[in-house]
């Protein structure tokens, strides 16, 4: 029997976290060499959008976001080469 019930969601940005990663993304975006659709959905010019926070607060399961260099091994395996993306955590693993 499979357990496909979603217990958590993880959004993976197409950028590294930390000061260096954030600066690389900001400059890359300004130069037109970097883009992350998930960043566009969750963030404004400077910080996270209030609309995003309200949306996530209304979900029936937790929704976390991580940068490329912050992924767990399980999330990395499911998302490698496919970012930005959102994955679901289920009893059967990450899908």
């Amino acid at each position: 029997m499979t357990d496909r019930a979603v217990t958590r969601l993880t959004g993976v940005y197409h950028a590294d976290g930390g000061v260096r990663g954030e600066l690389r993304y900001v400059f890359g975006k300004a130069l037109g060499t970097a883009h992350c659709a998930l960043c566009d959905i969750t963030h404004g010019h400077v910080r996270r959008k209030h609309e995003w926070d309200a949306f996530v607060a209304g979900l029936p399961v937790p929704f976390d976001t991580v940068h490329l260099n912050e992924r767990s091994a399980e999330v990395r395996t499911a998302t490698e080469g496919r970012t930005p993306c959102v994955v679901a955590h289920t009893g059967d693993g990450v899908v």
Side-chain angles (χ1 to χ4, degrees), residues 9-85:
L9 298 168
T10 299
V12 182
Y13 294 117
H14 189 68
D16 283 334
V19 174
R20 180 180 281 177
E22 296 286 343
L23 287 173
R24 188 178 319 128
Y25 179 74
V26 167
F27 286 115
K29 186 169 180 165
L31 296 171
T33 60
H35 181 256
C36 173
L38 184 57
C39 293
D40 293 343
I41 293 168
T42 63
H43 286 74
H45 293 293
V46 178
R47 64 171 103 136
R48 220 171 46 224
K49 293 178 181 176
H50 297 291
E51 296 89 348
W52 174 254
D53 290 337
F55 169 74
V56 169
L59 291 174
V61 295
F63 190 117
D64 303 309
T65 54
V66 296
H67 295 90
L68 292 172
N69 61 331
E70 300 166 340
R71 295 175 290 177
S72 67
E74 188 177 31
V75 171
R76 179 183 303 273
T77 298
T79 63
E80 194 65 41
R82 298 181 204 153
T83 59
C85 64

